[in-house]
Structure formats: C-alpha cells, structure tokens
Amino acid sequence: MTAHSGNGGDSTGIRVASVDDIPEGEGIAISSDITGTDDDIAILRKEDGTCWALNDTCTHETASLAEGWVEGDDVECPLHSSTFNLRTGKVDGLPATRDTVAHRVEVRDGEVYLFPGERP
Amino acid sequence: MVASSVASVVVVGGGIAGVSTVTELRKNGYAGGLTLLTADPFPYDRPPLSKAYLSGAKDLESIALQAPEWYAGQRIDVIRGLAAALDPAAGTVTLSDGRQLSADRIVLATGGWPLWPDIERVVRGLLDRPPAGSGIPRSTTGIHLLRSAEDADGLRAVLLPGARLLVVGAGLIGAEVTSTARKLGCEVVLVDPANPPIAAAVGAQVAEWLHSLHALHGAETVTATVEKVESTNAGVVAQIAGEASPRTFDAVLLAVGMVPDTAMAKEAGLDVDNGVVVDDHQVTSHPTVLAVGDCARRQGHRRAEHWEAAVHDGARAAATILGVDAPAASAPWFWTDRYDLHVEVVGEMHEPEGEHEQVVRGTLGEPPFTVFTLRGERVVGAVAVDDPKAVRAARRMIDRGVDVRAADLADPSTDLRQLLRSAR
C-alpha cells in the first residue's frame, strides 16, 4: 500500500495518510519523493492503534517493511523475518544486523503527520 | 548484567549457529571471555551462496553475519583457524597449527560437509572433503560442491553464458543453483530420482508445481539417478540412469544433502549419532561442551539443517551458559528462493491423510498463494509463495494452537490477523 498525498514538510510535519487508511498491524510506504529522504518511509500501525515510522527498506535485503508484520513493538520483515523495534529502529532479530532509522510521527484529528529526520 | 559462573566460552565455528551463540550471549548480558573460532576469513551468511553471491550480485563483505567492528565492540575475539582436537575434560580446543584455546564452556558449531552421492566416479585429483578454509580447492576437476564461499567462487567461475551444468539433486540448494545458473544463461540439466523432489518438506502439490518451474525457465529436469561421473579433458562426462549414452558437461554440482561435521566430537568421546547428540539445553554428553546448528542433533528429534533452527540453537546454548530459561520454541520455518519467487515453509506439511486436510488460499500455481495443512481445526503447517503475511499468520496459529475453520483460511478475503485476534 502506498500513500496518496503529502503537503510539503514544515514544522507541522507532512500529512501522509489518514489513520483509517492503515489497518492495525500493517503499514504503508511513503515515497521518498514525498518525504525528501534517501529511502521511502514505512508508516506502521500497532495493534494499539499508535503509528510509528521507520525507513522502509530492511537493512538485510531489499524488502519493504511496510509489507511486514507488526506485532508488539516490532515489525517483522516480509522476506527473512528480521525484526526492528518500531520506537528506535534497532534491529531485534537476525538476519539483519544493522539498525534502521526511526522517524517522528504525530496523529492529529485522525491524520498521520510525519517528521522525516526527527527522532520519535 | 547476568552473573554467570562461566568465566570463558570458546565457540568453534563461524556459521550462523556460532555467531548466534555469541550474539545471544552478549545481548543477554554475558560479561566473560568470548572467543569465536572460524575457518573462513570472517563469519558470513550461507543462504546467498546459491543465489545473490553465486550470481555475483553480492560480494563476501556484503553477506558478513556481523560487521567486523561489531566483534571488537562486543569484546569477542575472532580467531581464524581450524579446530583439530577437543579435550572436554581439560576444556581445550587444539587448532591444526598447534595453537590451543581453553575455556570453561566449549560450543561446537562445526556445521557439516556436502554429502557425496553414491556415484561411481573417476575423478583425477579430486580430494575427498578437504576442510573449508584450508585453501584447498574442491572443484579442480569440474565437479563442484557448495558449502562455502570458496566453493561458490569456484562454481561461479564456470557459470558463463552457454556453459553446460549438471546439477545432481533437486533439493533446496540444487534448485536454487539451477535458478541462478539459468539467470546467468547456462544450460542446466537437473537430475533427481524423487518425483517431485522436496515433497516431504512442502507437500506434493506445491513440490510438483515448484519443480515444474525449472522446465518453464528452460532447465531440463530428469527423474533418475546419476550412475557415473567422470572428469575428462573434454569435460565432465555423466551417465544418467536409463539413458543410452553419457552426456558431457562443463561442470557438475553435487547437491544431494549434507553430513554433520562430527569427527572431532567423536574423537573426543562425545555421543554422536547423526550429529553430536545434545539435550534440550544443547549440552552434549560432556557437561562443559555444547553443540549447535547443523552438527548437532537434539535427542528425540530429527536433526534440523535450516538457518533459523541454527539461530534457535544458539539462543538455547546462550541461555544454558547464562543459567536462564531458553526462549520459547516456535514452529520450524525456512525459506527458499527460485526464479524470483519467495517460498516460505512453516511447521509440518503432512499429506492429506487421516485427520490431515490441505487448504489452498488463493490459486495454487498463481502467486501469491498459500497452502495450509490442518489437523482438525488446528494449522500444523503452511507453504506460502510470495505470501509473507499468510505464513506469518500461520506460524502464530501453530504456536498459539488456535482453532480455525478451513473455509476461512481458504477465503483470500479473510483477514488472517483478525482470525488470530478472534481466536485469542
């Protein structure tokens, strides 16, 4: 699933999706064209409804974390099941050995705002 | 920090089981001395050896299991060398060059060797299982094995467009190499007596479809055994059973399985029976020696040869050394890739007999799809092709022992996560 909109980056962040667009336990990928970052960014929604953001590409092999399985505080890569902490980007399970980057996300009035490059 | 009574650990072997052991030890607070002995230049991941590394898409550095600086940061001494002898009572490992390592606990992660098929062969100069990392090439006569990066280097050198390759054995390695070689433009003949191969692992239906992909992608598949392989000046001449004349190839890959490397353990007097026999804590018949990964077999279990099983072994061994509970077990899982398809298998793929039933989610042969095996209302296994969420859901269904209805699994519109939630 990919994002459909963006409104440019400023102190209010980039509006990237409505929360309801992201099923609990799943994610969407926001294009680097929108985020202005080197990598696409995955917006991942935990089962408690909160949203988190990580660089989208698994640090092990090219796979989209937005297609991964979100459970607890981790997202599990769809290819080889490397796991990354949603809050920190730290790798929690092999085969990936390098951390990924976590970005700040805010949800306001049911809309998800992304702050690329800002730590959660 | 964990207060372990174990002051020092030596891990013999730098594959995924060995690296998992040291990773888990440090991750869980082990503060003692830690040494990792590896025969290779550095510990690297083996699954890419038949795929991205073999094709040249990845180099050795890019498949390192950990970055070099990680070991220093974790205070792990990585020593390159070959273990030659083990003395459990003295707590020592002697290297082939005479160096000696000693520790309170020794963890054997020696892996295994490619199995030699029972083929009559006349191979000039072919050495029988020279040790990995010894610098002795195993492929000087056009006959190749594939276990180490060195092996993959030798095979890659001959996988030129138009090269004629015979692959003996259509298991995971043989099938992956066939796929890689076809991508590189080689002519490939894949021979295996099983029809279809790997049916026990993925079920007959999926196995048949997977095997059919080889022909679809231009490889020739032959259901037979290979009776003779002979290295000649003209190439490698192979006699396939049932064929009137032998065929000539530029190279042959023997990929018929592996045998655990247990020689040192056996000489040291440890119990060995199709692997170094260990208990549920990875402890061998000597209390200060543990064994993990391909070289080990848990008593009462079949020996596992998969990547993730080795990871779990390492985690269990680390927990044992630390004196803490081992992580919870999960259903066995492995993956394989061929022809740009990603295949994942979890649990056991029993054939539909007795209480077992197989359910297809999607359409078999049209990825993404998943085949589940159920016993009653319990999922016991699943094979997913390009369907990662389904296999992750299946694993949790198996681990949690949830009841599901076959009709729900078969319906692609059913939210599998919702099925899991509702079953809690």
Side-chain angles (χ1 to χ4, degrees), chain B residues 59-375:
Chain B
D59 61 15
L60 195 59
E61 282 70 26
S62 67
I63 63 170
L65 281 167
Q66 295 282 6
E69 60 271 19
W70 180 86
Y71 298 98
Q74 297 290 320
R75 294 181 296 107
I76 298 168
D77 292 327
V78 179
I79 294 177
R80 189 175 183 191
L82 290 168
L86 166 71
D87 185 338
T92 60
V93 176
T94 304
L95 279 59
S96 58
D97 61 9
R99 285 178 291 171
Q100 196 169 69
L101 305 171
S102 59
D104 293 340
R105 294 288 183 277
I106 294 168
V107 181
L108 300 178
T110 51
W113 303 107
L115 180 64
W116 279 100
D118 185 18
I119 299 174
E120 180 189 347
R121 60 190 188 277
V122 181
V123 184
R124 285 193 298 275
L126 187 64
L127 296 162
D128 198 13
R129 299 181 194 164
S134 64
I136 302 171
R138 296 199 277 199
S139 55
T140 52
T141 57
I143 298 179
H144 297 257
L145 304 167
L146 183 54
R147 179 77 185 178
S148 67
E150 196 179 354
D151 295 335
D153 292 341
L155 183 59
R156 179 165 50 178
V158 300
L159 295 184
L160 304 171
R164 299 160 299 176
L165 175 68
L166 170 65
V167 177
V168 182
L172 301 185
I173 301 290
E176 289 177 353
V177 169
T178 298
S179 168
T180 303
R182 284 300 301 146
K183 275 188 182 176
L184 294 171
C186 302
E187 294 176 19
V188 187
V189 177
L190 176 60
V191 179
D192 195 301
N195 187 22
I198 70 165
V202 302
Q205 293 182 91
V206 176
E208 195 169 322
W209 175 73
L210 283 173
H211 197 55
S212 73
L213 294 174
H214 295 301
L216 198 65
H217 287 82
E220 179 184 350
T221 54
V222 181
T223 302
T225 56
V226 174
E227 294 179 332
K228 187 174 181 179
V229 174
E230 183 175 3
S231 184
T232 74
N233 290 334
V236 185
V237 177
Q239 178 63 56
I240 298 170
E243 296 193 349
S245 307
R247 305 199 211 185
T248 302
F249 298 89
D250 298 303
V252 173
L253 172 70
L254 304 177
V256 297
M258 60 151 287
V259 286
D261 184 357
T262 58
M264 189 173 71
K266 199 168 186 176
E267 284 174 19
L270 301 180
D271 285 350
V272 171
D273 178 9
N274 186 26
V276 183
V277 178
V278 297
D279 63 13
D280 286 344
H281 305 281
Q282 305 300 137
V283 178
T284 70
S285 55
H286 193 283
T288 63
V289 181
L290 294 81
V292 293
D294 286 354
C295 75
R297 185 178 68 78
R298 288 166 73 194
Q299 202 151 30
H301 295 259
R302 285 181 297 177
R303 188 168 50 76
E305 297 177 359
H306 294 302
W307 186 95
E308 200 205 32
V311 171
H312 286 165
D313 279 5
R316 265 193 302 273
T320 300
I321 291 168
L322 290 165
V324 299
D325 290 339
S330 184
W333 166 79
F334 68 90
W335 78 85
T336 179
D337 297 285
R338 56 180 79 175
Y339 306 111
D340 295 325
L341 293 170
H342 186 59
V343 182
E344 294 179 81
V345 183
V346 65
E348 302 285 339
M349 287 304 292
H350 293 273
E351 291 305 312
E353 57 185 35
E355 294 180 354
H356 293 108
E357 175 186 6
Q358 289 195 336
V359 176
V360 181
R361 180 179 173 87
T363 302
L364 198 149
E366 295 180 19
F369 69 89
T370 297
V371 178
F372 295 89
T373 295
L374 289 98
R375 186 173 62 220

Side-chain angles (χ1 to χ4, degrees), chain A residues 1 29 47 65 69-70 91 98 119:
Chain A
M1 195 183 292
E47 292 205 312
L65 295 180
W69 181 280
V70 177
V91 63
R98 288 180 293 120
R119 298 288 171 175

